[in-house]
Amino acid sequence: MYNSLVPIMGTKKQLADLGAVASGLAHEIRNPLNSLHINSQLIVEMLDALPDGQQKSEILSMAQSNLKVTKRLSDLLSDFLRYARPPSMELVVSDLNRIVSETLRFLEVDFSRRGVELAARLHPEPVPLFADEKQLRQALLNLLLNAEEAMDKDRKRIRVSTGFSGGRPFVRVQDNGRGIPAADRGQIFRLFFTTRRNGSGLGLPIVRQIVRNHGGKISIRSRQGMGTTVTVTLPSEAQSKAKLSGRSGRGLLPEKVR
Ligand SMILES: Nc1ncnc2c1ncn2[C@@H]1O[C@H](COP(=O)(O)OP(=O)(O)OP(=O)(O)O)[C@@H](O)[C@H]1O
Ligand SMILES: [Mg+2]
């Protein structure tokens, strides 16, 4: 009986080791990559200041391309490290409406420049919950960026709403983008799964990690060609407090992807 457990435990340990090696490696790469990034930035600025002449524009465009690549790699590493070594939770009594409004304000200008109509339908009263505000803003930002990146119609619409479902606070991000093909629906939470040219496939795994750490659940409904609706449901303030004081041992709610 114990023998049959050995390979399973071995696999789990190997996975844990691999995770530790991967995050250690990412950490080691980060500093030299940052200096490469800063140098690329300086080279672009210095070249730009030179008088126009032989091959300037050619060299400048190569330097700009290097800058773009180092920026992308450095963002990828930061996201990966955030996933592999999530910061500890700083839970405070908060208002989901305020977290949503702050995140929307951050994206407003960018979205309107890209022709995206952003509509907020927030619950008329505050939506209290116990949350790590920074992490929830990060999760929401990832969902909103996914919605924006899925836009494929002339009229681009994203609607964000908040409210209560069975007494639990929820936030919903609805887009009228291309939708998620049925074949991809089982994959979207997989680390590094992406269908985008410049995607890293870390957005949804990070969202899921944050939502799980809050004891919440994510459900996604998508219709190909029509759009996607992502709903994050979180425990109410009272439920979180009860859980923190150990009175409620309820497990995590599963994700639903339809
Ligand atoms: N709102 C959406 N509409 C359509 N497809 C989506 C939507 N959200 C996620 N997806 C699909 O799920 C995939 C994984 O999303 P995820 O956010 O994890 O990674 P990504 O957006 O590709 O890269 P990044 O790490 O930059 O977020 C996307 O590549 C896309 O195929
Ligand atoms: Mg994403």
Side-chain angles (χ1 to χ4, degrees), residues 165-214:
S165 155
R168 290 166 174 262
F170 75 82
V171 52
R172 179 170 295 145
V173 177
Q174 214 169 340
D175 69 65
N176 71 334
R178 67 174 67 87
I180 305 170
D184 289 351
R185 284 181 204 155
Q187 314 245 57
I188 53 174
F189 286 105
R190 259 187 41 213
L191 199 59
F192 302 124
F193 175 82
T194 183
T195 56
R196 298 182 17 234
R197 226 165 67 86
N198 287 323
S200 55
L202 282 164
L204 284 179
I206 288 173
V207 174
R208 177 161 75 171
Q209 190 180 56
I210 292 172
V211 172
R212 279 187 170 176
N213 287 345
H214 280 82

Coordinates of all heavy atoms in Angstrom, one line a residue, residues 165-214:
S165 N -24.5 37.8 -4.9 CA -25.2 36.6 -5.4 C -25.2 35.7 -4.2 O -24.2 35.2 -3.7 CB -24.4 36.1 -6.6 OG -24.6 34.7 -6.7
G166 N -26.4 35.4 -3.7 CA -26.6 34.5 -2.6 C -25.8 35.1 -1.4 O -25.2 34.4 -0.6
G167 N -25.8 36.4 -1.2 CA -25.2 37.1 -0.1 C -23.7 37.3 -0.3 O -23.0 37.9 0.5
R168 N -23.1 36.7 -1.4 CA -21.7 36.9 -1.6 C -21.4 38.0 -2.7 O -22.1 38.1 -3.7 CB -21.1 35.6 -2.2 CG -21.1 34.4 -1.3 CD -20.8 33.1 -2.0 NE -20.7 32.0 -1.1 CZ -19.5 31.6 -0.8 NH1 -18.4 32.1 -1.2 NH2 -19.4 30.6 0.1
P169 N -20.4 38.8 -2.4 CA -20.1 39.9 -3.3 C -19.5 39.3 -4.6 O -18.8 38.2 -4.6 CB -18.9 40.6 -2.7 CG -18.9 40.2 -1.2 CD -19.6 38.8 -1.2
F170 N -19.9 39.9 -5.7 CA -19.3 39.4 -7.0 C -18.9 40.6 -7.9 O -19.5 41.7 -7.7 CB -20.3 38.5 -7.8 CG -21.4 39.2 -8.5 CD1 -21.3 39.8 -9.7 CD2 -22.7 39.2 -7.9 CE1 -22.3 40.5 -10.3 CE2 -23.7 39.9 -8.5 CZ -23.6 40.5 -9.7
V171 N -18.0 40.4 -8.8 CA -17.6 41.3 -9.8 C -17.6 40.6 -11.1 O -17.1 39.5 -11.2 CB -16.3 42.1 -9.5 CG1 -15.2 41.1 -9.3 CG2 -16.0 43.0 -10.7
R172 N -18.2 41.2 -12.1 CA -18.4 40.5 -13.4 C -17.8 41.4 -14.5 O -18.0 42.6 -14.5 CB -19.9 40.3 -13.6 CG -20.2 39.6 -14.9 CD -21.7 39.2 -14.9 NE -21.9 38.2 -13.9 CZ -23.0 38.1 -13.2 NH1 -24.0 38.9 -13.4 NH2 -23.2 37.1 -12.3
V173 N -17.0 40.8 -15.4 CA -16.4 41.5 -16.5 C -17.0 40.9 -17.8 O -16.8 39.7 -18.0 CB -14.9 41.5 -16.5 CG1 -14.3 42.1 -17.8 CG2 -14.3 42.1 -15.3
Q174 N -17.7 41.7 -18.6 CA -18.4 41.1 -19.7 C -17.8 41.8 -21.0 O -17.8 43.0 -21.0 CB -19.9 41.5 -19.6 CG -20.8 40.5 -20.1 CD -22.2 40.9 -19.6 OE1 -22.4 41.7 -18.7 NE2 -23.2 40.4 -20.3
D175 N -17.4 41.0 -22.0 CA -17.0 41.7 -23.2 C -17.7 41.1 -24.4 O -18.3 40.1 -24.3 CB -15.4 41.5 -23.4 CG -15.0 40.0 -23.7 OD1 -15.4 39.5 -24.7 OD2 -14.3 39.4 -22.8
N176 N -17.7 41.9 -25.5 CA -18.4 41.4 -26.7 C -17.3 41.0 -27.7 O -17.5 41.2 -28.9 CB -19.3 42.5 -27.3 CG -18.5 43.7 -27.9 OD1 -17.4 43.9 -27.5 ND2 -19.1 44.4 -28.8
G177 N -16.2 40.4 -27.2 CA -15.1 40.1 -28.1 C -15.3 38.7 -28.8 O -16.4 38.2 -28.9
R178 N -14.2 38.1 -29.2 CA -14.3 36.9 -30.0 C -14.7 35.7 -29.3 O -15.1 34.7 -29.9 CB -12.9 36.7 -30.7 CG -11.8 36.3 -29.8 CD -10.6 35.9 -30.6 NE -10.0 37.1 -31.3 CZ -9.2 38.0 -30.7 NH1 -8.7 37.7 -29.5 NH2 -8.7 39.0 -31.4
G179 N -14.7 35.7 -28.0 CA -15.1 34.5 -27.2 C -14.0 33.5 -27.2 O -13.0 33.6 -27.8
I180 N -14.2 32.4 -26.4 CA -13.2 31.4 -26.2 C -13.7 30.1 -26.9 O -14.8 29.6 -26.6 CB -13.0 31.1 -24.7 CG1 -12.6 32.4 -24.0 CG2 -11.9 30.0 -24.5 CD1 -12.6 32.3 -22.5
P181 N -13.0 29.6 -27.9 CA -13.4 28.4 -28.6 C -13.6 27.2 -27.6 O -12.8 27.1 -26.6 CB -12.3 28.1 -29.6 CG -11.5 29.3 -29.7 CD -11.7 30.1 -28.4
A182 N -14.6 26.4 -27.8 CA -14.9 25.3 -26.9 C -13.6 24.5 -26.6 O -13.4 24.1 -25.4 CB -16.0 24.4 -27.5
A183 N -12.8 24.3 -27.6 CA -11.6 23.4 -27.4 C -10.6 24.1 -26.5 O -9.7 23.4 -25.9 CB -10.9 23.2 -28.8
D184 N -10.6 25.4 -26.3 CA -9.7 26.1 -25.4 C -10.2 26.2 -24.0 O -9.4 26.5 -23.1 CB -9.4 27.5 -25.9 CG -8.6 27.5 -27.2 OD1 -8.1 26.4 -27.6 OD2 -8.4 28.6 -27.8
R185 N -11.5 25.9 -23.8 CA -12.1 26.3 -22.5 C -11.4 25.5 -21.3 O -11.3 26.0 -20.2 CB -13.6 26.1 -22.5 CG -14.2 27.3 -23.3 CD -15.7 27.2 -23.3 NE -16.1 28.0 -24.5 CZ -17.2 27.9 -25.2 NH1 -18.1 27.0 -24.8 NH2 -17.4 28.6 -26.2
G186 N -11.0 24.3 -21.6 CA -10.4 23.5 -20.5 C -8.9 23.9 -20.3 O -8.3 23.4 -19.4
Q187 N -8.4 24.8 -21.1 CA -7.0 25.0 -21.0 C -6.6 26.4 -20.5 O -5.5 26.7 -20.1 CB -6.4 25.1 -22.5 CG -6.9 23.9 -23.3 CD -5.7 23.0 -23.7 OE1 -5.0 22.5 -22.8 NE2 -5.4 22.9 -25.0
I188 N -7.6 27.3 -20.5 CA -7.3 28.7 -20.2 C -6.6 29.0 -18.9 O -6.0 30.0 -18.8 CB -8.5 29.7 -20.5 CG1 -9.6 29.2 -19.6 CG2 -8.8 29.7 -22.0 CD1 -10.8 30.1 -19.7
F189 N -6.8 28.1 -17.9 CA -6.2 28.4 -16.6 C -4.8 27.7 -16.5 O -4.1 27.8 -15.5 CB -7.1 27.9 -15.5 CG -8.3 28.8 -15.2 CD1 -9.5 28.4 -15.6 CD2 -8.1 30.0 -14.6 CE1 -10.6 29.2 -15.4 CE2 -9.2 30.9 -14.4 CZ -10.4 30.5 -14.8
R190 N -4.4 27.0 -17.6 CA -3.1 26.3 -17.5 C -2.0 27.4 -17.6 O -2.0 28.3 -18.4 CB -3.0 25.4 -18.7 CG -3.2 23.9 -18.3 CD -2.9 23.0 -19.5 NE -1.7 23.4 -20.2 CZ -1.6 23.2 -21.5 NH1 -2.5 22.7 -22.2 NH2 -0.5 23.6 -22.1
L191 N -1.0 27.2 -16.8 CA 0.2 28.1 -16.8 C 0.8 28.1 -18.2 O 1.0 27.0 -18.8 CB 1.2 27.6 -15.8 CG 2.2 28.5 -15.3 CD1 1.6 29.7 -14.6 CD2 3.2 27.8 -14.3
F192 N 1.0 29.3 -18.7 CA 1.6 29.5 -20.0 C 0.7 29.2 -21.2 O 1.2 29.2 -22.4 CB 3.0 28.8 -20.2 CG 4.0 29.1 -19.2 CD1 4.6 28.1 -18.4 CD2 4.3 30.4 -18.9 CE1 5.5 28.5 -17.4 CE2 5.3 30.8 -18.0 CZ 5.9 29.8 -17.2
F193 N -0.5 28.9 -21.0 CA -1.5 28.7 -22.1 C -1.8 30.1 -22.7 O -2.4 30.9 -22.0 CB -2.7 27.9 -21.8 CG -3.7 27.8 -22.9 CD1 -3.5 26.9 -23.9 CD2 -4.7 28.8 -23.1 CE1 -4.4 26.8 -25.0 CE2 -5.6 28.7 -24.2 CZ -5.4 27.8 -25.1
T194 N -1.6 30.3 -23.9 CA -1.9 31.6 -24.6 C -2.3 31.3 -26.0 O -1.7 30.4 -26.6 CB -0.8 32.6 -24.4 OG1 -1.3 33.9 -25.0 CG2 0.5 32.2 -25.1
T195 N -3.2 32.1 -26.6 CA -3.4 32.1 -28.0 C -3.0 33.4 -28.6 O -3.2 33.7 -29.8 CB -4.9 31.9 -28.3 OG1 -5.7 32.9 -27.6 CG2 -5.4 30.6 -27.8
R196 N -2.4 34.3 -27.8 CA -2.0 35.6 -28.3 C -0.5 35.6 -28.6 O 0.3 35.0 -28.0 CB -2.3 36.7 -27.2 CG -3.8 36.7 -26.9 CD -4.1 37.8 -25.9 NE -3.0 38.7 -25.8 CZ -2.5 39.0 -24.6 NH1 -2.9 38.5 -23.5 NH2 -1.5 39.9 -24.6
R197 N -0.2 36.4 -29.7 CA 1.1 36.5 -30.2 C 2.1 36.9 -29.1 O 3.2 36.4 -28.9 CB 1.2 37.4 -31.4 CG 2.0 36.8 -32.5 CD 1.7 37.6 -33.8 NE 2.2 39.0 -33.7 CZ 3.5 39.3 -34.0 NH1 4.3 38.4 -34.5 NH2 3.9 40.6 -33.9
N198 N 1.7 37.9 -28.3 CA 2.5 38.4 -27.3 C 2.1 38.1 -25.9 O 2.5 38.7 -24.9 CB 2.7 40.0 -27.4 CG 3.6 40.3 -28.6 OD1 4.5 39.6 -28.9 ND2 3.2 41.3 -29.3
G199 N 1.2 37.1 -25.8 CA 0.7 36.7 -24.5 C 1.7 35.8 -23.8 O 2.6 35.2 -24.4
S200 N 1.6 35.7 -22.4 CA 2.5 34.8 -21.7 C 1.7 33.7 -21.0 O 2.3 32.8 -20.5 CB 3.4 35.6 -20.7 OG 2.5 36.3 -19.9
G201 N 0.4 33.8 -21.0 CA -0.4 32.8 -20.4 C -0.3 32.7 -18.9 O -0.4 31.7 -18.3
L202 N 0.0 33.9 -18.3 CA 0.1 34.0 -16.9 C -1.1 34.7 -16.2 O -1.3 34.6 -15.0 CB 1.4 34.7 -16.5 CG 2.7 33.8 -16.6 CD1 3.9 34.7 -16.5 CD2 2.7 32.8 -15.4
G203 N -1.8 35.4 -17.1 CA -2.9 36.3 -16.5 C -3.9 35.5 -15.7 O -4.2 35.8 -14.6
L204 N -4.6 34.5 -16.4 CA -5.6 33.8 -15.7 C -5.1 32.9 -14.5 O -5.8 32.9 -13.5 CB -6.5 33.0 -16.7 CG -7.4 33.8 -17.5 CD1 -8.2 32.9 -18.5 CD2 -8.4 34.5 -16.7
P205 N -3.9 32.2 -14.7 CA -3.5 31.5 -13.5 C -3.3 32.4 -12.3 O -3.6 32.1 -11.2 CB -2.1 30.9 -14.0 CG -2.3 30.7 -15.4 CD -3.2 31.9 -15.9
I206 N -2.8 33.7 -12.6 CA -2.6 34.6 -11.4 C -4.0 35.0 -10.9 O -4.2 35.0 -9.6 CB -1.8 35.9 -11.9 CG1 -0.4 35.5 -12.1 CG2 -1.9 37.0 -10.9 CD1 0.5 36.6 -12.7
V207 N -4.9 35.3 -11.8 CA -6.3 35.6 -11.3 C -6.8 34.5 -10.4 O -7.3 34.7 -9.3 CB -7.3 35.8 -12.5 CG1 -8.7 36.0 -11.9 CG2 -6.8 37.0 -13.3
R208 N -6.7 33.2 -10.9 CA -7.2 32.1 -10.1 C -6.5 32.0 -8.8 O -7.2 31.7 -7.8 CB -7.0 30.8 -10.9 CG -7.5 29.6 -10.1 CD -7.8 28.4 -11.0 NE -6.6 27.8 -11.4 CZ -6.5 26.6 -12.0 NH1 -7.7 26.0 -12.3 NH2 -5.4 26.1 -12.3
Q209 N -5.2 32.2 -8.8 CA -4.5 32.1 -7.5 C -5.0 33.1 -6.5 O -5.2 32.8 -5.3 CB -3.0 32.3 -7.8 CG -2.1 32.0 -6.6 CD -0.7 32.3 -7.0 OE1 -0.3 33.4 -7.4 NE2 0.2 31.3 -6.9
I210 N -5.2 34.4 -7.0 CA -5.6 35.4 -6.1 C -7.0 35.1 -5.6 O -7.3 35.3 -4.4 CB -5.6 36.8 -6.8 CG1 -4.1 37.2 -7.1 CG2 -6.3 37.9 -6.1 CD1 -4.0 38.4 -8.0
V211 N -7.9 34.7 -6.5 CA -9.3 34.4 -6.1 C -9.4 33.3 -5.1 O -10.1 33.3 -4.1 CB -10.2 34.2 -7.4 CG1 -11.6 33.7 -6.9 CG2 -10.3 35.4 -8.2
R212 N -8.6 32.2 -5.4 CA -8.6 31.1 -4.5 C -8.1 31.5 -3.1 O -8.6 31.1 -2.1 CB -7.6 30.0 -5.0 CG -8.3 29.2 -6.0 CD -7.4 28.0 -6.4 NE -8.1 27.0 -7.2 CZ -7.6 26.0 -7.8 NH1 -6.3 25.7 -7.6 NH2 -8.3 25.1 -8.5
N213 N -7.0 32.3 -3.1 CA -6.5 32.8 -1.8 C -7.5 33.6 -1.0 O -7.4 33.7 0.2 CB -5.2 33.6 -2.0 CG -4.0 32.8 -2.4 OD1 -4.1 31.5 -2.3 ND2 -3.0 33.4 -2.9
H214 N -8.4 34.2 -1.7 CA -9.5 34.9 -1.0 C -10.7 34.0 -0.7 O -11.7 34.4 -0.1 CB -10.0 36.1 -1.9 CG -9.1 37.3 -1.8 ND1 -8.0 37.4 -2.6 CD2 -9.2 38.4 -1.1 CE1 -7.5 38.6 -2.3 NE2 -8.2 39.2 -1.4

